[in-house]
Amino acid sequence: MFSSIEALAFDLDGTLVDSLPDLAAAANAMREHFGLPRLTDARVAGHVGDGLAKLVHRTLTDERDGVAEPARWEAGLAFFARHYREHLADLTRPYAGVVEALELLRARRLPLAVVTNKPAAFAMPLLEQLGLAGYFSLILGGDSLPEKKPSALPLTHTAEVLGVAPAKLAMVGDSINDVLAARAAGCPVVAVSYGYGDLADGDADATIGNLVELYDLLKNDRA
């Protein structure tokens, strides 16, 4: 399946970087602003994955399907965005093996992209602050196109920009949104076993515990 891969797209939060400490800090600063008790990092992790608007609804209500009162949500969104923008990379770091994997993949001249549901206004500077932006030919945020994951559009657009067929673009991520987007676009999908997602065994075409394993996965499958 991976023998003909010509490009790779990566999710950001929970795949390339562990951003939970800074996301949780922003969420709890927002909750404290409204007189609400703090949430654990693990609780916030369960609310991550569908973009900033949903994250604010979920962390205000502490419910996966929660919808905050409109005025409170609007004020909370502004507070969260302001706090998070000022503390994007205080504690956020690439996962172990990420830089090594990106170096290996770049050495193979494979075009790389980031396809995240995080707004581009946060994704771009975060990657820049962590020294990762230069590895990627394309960085798509959740608001870069009319639709975000689990829609196929971000991946079909990425394939078009990178000049490859969707079947030759592998999606690498930690959540069901990554899998659904890949399936809808006709892309192979690799799951990481860490991160914040809720994937079950067999959801993806392959599962790895460290991004360095991508190199061997592509090499061995090609061999």
Side-chain angles (χ1 to χ4, degrees), residues 2 5 7-8 17 28 36 39-40 47 54-55 60 63 76 92 103 142 149 161 165 170-171 173 176 197 200 218:
F2 299 102
I5 291 302
L8 294 103
V17 302
N28 280 317
L36 299 171
L39 300 176
T40 65
H47 298 323
K54 283 282 186 69
L55 180 59
L60 280 174
E63 296 177 0
T92 297
E103 287 285 350
K149 299 177 298 184
V161 171
M171 178 69 209
I176 192 62
L218 299 175

Coordinates of all heavy atoms in Angstrom, one line a residue, residues 2 5 7-8 17 28 36 39-40 47 54-55 60 63 76 92 103 142 149 161 165 170-171 173 176 197 200 218:
F2 N 2.0 1.2 0.7 CA 2.8 2.4 0.8 C 4.0 2.5 -0.2 O 4.8 3.4 -0.1 CB 3.3 2.6 2.3 CG 2.2 2.7 3.3 CD1 1.9 1.6 4.0 CD2 1.6 3.9 3.5 CE1 0.8 1.7 5.0 CE2 0.5 4.0 4.4 CZ 0.2 2.9 5.1
I5 N 3.9 5.8 -2.4 CA 3.7 7.0 -1.7 C 4.6 8.1 -2.2 O 5.9 7.8 -2.3 CB 3.8 6.9 -0.2 CG1 2.6 6.1 0.4 CG2 3.8 8.3 0.5 CD1 1.3 6.7 0.1
A7 N 4.1 11.6 -1.3 CA 4.0 12.8 -0.4 C 3.2 12.4 0.8 O 2.5 11.4 0.9 CB 3.2 13.9 -1.1
L8 N 3.4 13.2 1.9 CA 2.8 12.9 3.2 C 2.2 14.1 3.8 O 2.7 15.2 3.6 CB 3.8 12.3 4.2 CG 4.4 10.9 3.8 CD1 5.8 11.1 3.3 CD2 4.4 10.0 5.1
V17 N 3.2 17.6 17.4 CA 3.5 18.3 18.6 C 2.6 17.9 19.7 O 1.4 17.7 19.5 CB 3.5 19.8 18.4 CG1 4.5 20.2 17.3 CG2 2.2 20.4 18.1
N28 N -8.1 26.7 30.8 CA -8.3 27.0 32.2 C -8.3 28.5 32.5 O -9.0 28.9 33.4 CB -7.4 26.2 33.0 CG -7.8 24.7 33.1 OD1 -9.0 24.5 33.4 ND2 -6.9 23.8 33.0
L36 N -15.3 29.5 36.5 CA -15.5 28.1 36.5 C -14.2 27.3 37.0 O -13.1 27.8 36.9 CB -15.7 27.7 35.0 CG -16.9 28.3 34.3 CD1 -16.9 28.0 32.8 CD2 -18.2 27.7 35.0
L39 N -10.1 22.4 34.6 CA -10.2 21.1 34.1 C -8.8 20.4 34.1 O -7.8 21.1 33.9 CB -10.7 21.1 32.6 CG -12.1 21.7 32.4 CD1 -12.4 21.7 30.9 CD2 -13.2 20.9 33.2
T40 N -8.7 19.1 34.2 CA -7.4 18.4 34.1 C -7.0 18.5 32.6 O -7.8 18.6 31.7 CB -7.5 17.0 34.5 OG1 -8.4 16.3 33.6 CG2 -8.1 16.9 36.0
H47 N -11.4 17.1 24.5 CA -12.1 18.1 23.7 C -11.4 18.6 22.5 O -11.9 19.4 21.8 CB -12.4 19.3 24.7 CG -13.3 18.9 25.9 ND1 -14.3 18.0 25.8 CD2 -13.2 19.3 27.2 CE1 -14.9 17.9 27.0 NE2 -14.2 18.7 27.8
K54 N -15.1 24.7 18.3 CA -15.6 23.5 19.1 C -14.9 23.4 20.4 O -15.5 23.1 21.5 CB -15.4 22.2 18.3 CG -16.5 22.1 17.2 CD -17.8 21.6 17.7 CE -18.8 21.3 16.6 NZ -18.4 20.1 15.9
L55 N -13.6 23.6 20.4 CA -12.8 23.5 21.7 C -13.3 24.5 22.7 O -13.4 24.1 23.9 CB -11.3 23.7 21.4 CG -10.4 23.6 22.6 CD1 -10.5 22.2 23.3 CD2 -8.9 23.9 22.2
L60 N -15.9 25.2 27.8 CA -16.8 26.0 28.6 C -17.8 25.2 29.2 O -18.2 25.4 30.4 CB -17.4 27.1 27.7 CG -16.6 28.4 27.5 CD1 -17.4 29.3 26.5 CD2 -16.3 29.1 28.7
E63 N -18.4 19.4 28.1 CA -19.1 18.3 27.4 C -18.7 18.2 26.0 O -18.5 19.2 25.3 CB -20.6 18.6 27.5 CG -21.2 18.6 28.9 CD -22.7 18.9 28.9 OE1 -23.3 19.1 27.8 OE2 -23.3 19.0 30.0
G76 N -15.7 34.0 25.3 CA -14.7 32.9 25.6 C -13.8 32.7 24.5 O -12.6 32.5 24.7
T92 N 4.7 23.7 24.6 CA 4.5 22.8 23.5 C 5.8 22.4 22.9 O 6.7 23.2 22.7 CB 3.6 23.5 22.4 OG1 2.3 23.7 23.0 CG2 3.5 22.6 21.2
E103 N 13.6 14.9 8.9 CA 14.9 15.0 8.2 C 15.0 13.8 7.3 O 15.5 13.9 6.1 CB 16.0 15.0 9.2 CG 16.2 16.3 10.0 CD 16.9 17.3 9.1 OE1 17.3 17.0 8.0 OE2 16.9 18.5 9.6
G142 N -7.5 24.8 9.8 CA -8.9 24.4 9.7 C -9.7 25.5 9.0 O -10.9 25.1 8.6
K149 N -11.1 18.8 8.0 CA -11.3 17.4 8.3 C -12.5 17.2 9.3 O -12.7 18.0 10.2 CB -10.0 16.8 9.0 CG -8.8 16.9 8.2 CD -7.5 16.4 8.9 CE -7.2 17.2 10.1 NZ -6.0 16.8 10.8
V161 N -2.1 20.5 -4.8 CA -1.0 21.5 -4.7 C 0.3 20.8 -4.8 O 1.3 21.3 -5.4 CB -1.2 22.2 -3.4 CG1 0.1 23.1 -3.1 CG2 -2.4 23.1 -3.3
A165 N -1.4 12.2 -7.0 CA -2.8 11.7 -6.9 C -3.1 11.4 -5.4 O -2.2 11.1 -4.6 CB -2.8 10.3 -7.7
A170 N -0.1 10.0 1.7 CA -0.4 9.3 2.9 C -0.8 10.4 4.0 O 0.0 11.4 4.2 CB 0.7 8.5 3.4
M171 N -1.9 10.2 4.7 CA -2.2 11.0 5.8 C -1.7 10.4 7.1 O -2.0 9.2 7.3 CB -3.8 11.2 5.9 CG -4.3 12.0 7.1 SD -3.8 13.7 6.9 CE -3.7 14.2 8.6
G173 N -2.0 10.8 11.3 CA -2.6 11.5 12.3 C -3.0 10.6 13.5 O -2.7 9.4 13.5
I176 N -9.9 10.2 14.7 CA -10.8 9.7 13.7 C -11.1 10.7 12.6 O -11.4 10.3 11.4 CB -12.2 9.3 14.4 CG1 -13.1 8.5 13.5 CG2 -12.9 10.5 14.9 CD1 -12.5 7.1 13.1
G197 N -6.2 11.3 20.1 CA -7.3 10.7 19.4 C -7.9 9.5 20.0 O -7.5 9.0 21.1
A200 N -9.3 3.2 17.1 CA -9.3 1.8 17.5 C -8.4 1.0 16.6 O -8.1 1.4 15.5 CB -10.8 1.2 17.4
L218 N 7.8 3.0 4.7 CA 7.9 3.2 3.3 C 9.0 2.4 2.6 O 8.8 1.9 1.6 CB 8.1 4.7 3.1 CG 7.1 5.7 3.6 CD1 7.6 7.1 3.4 CD2 5.8 5.5 2.9

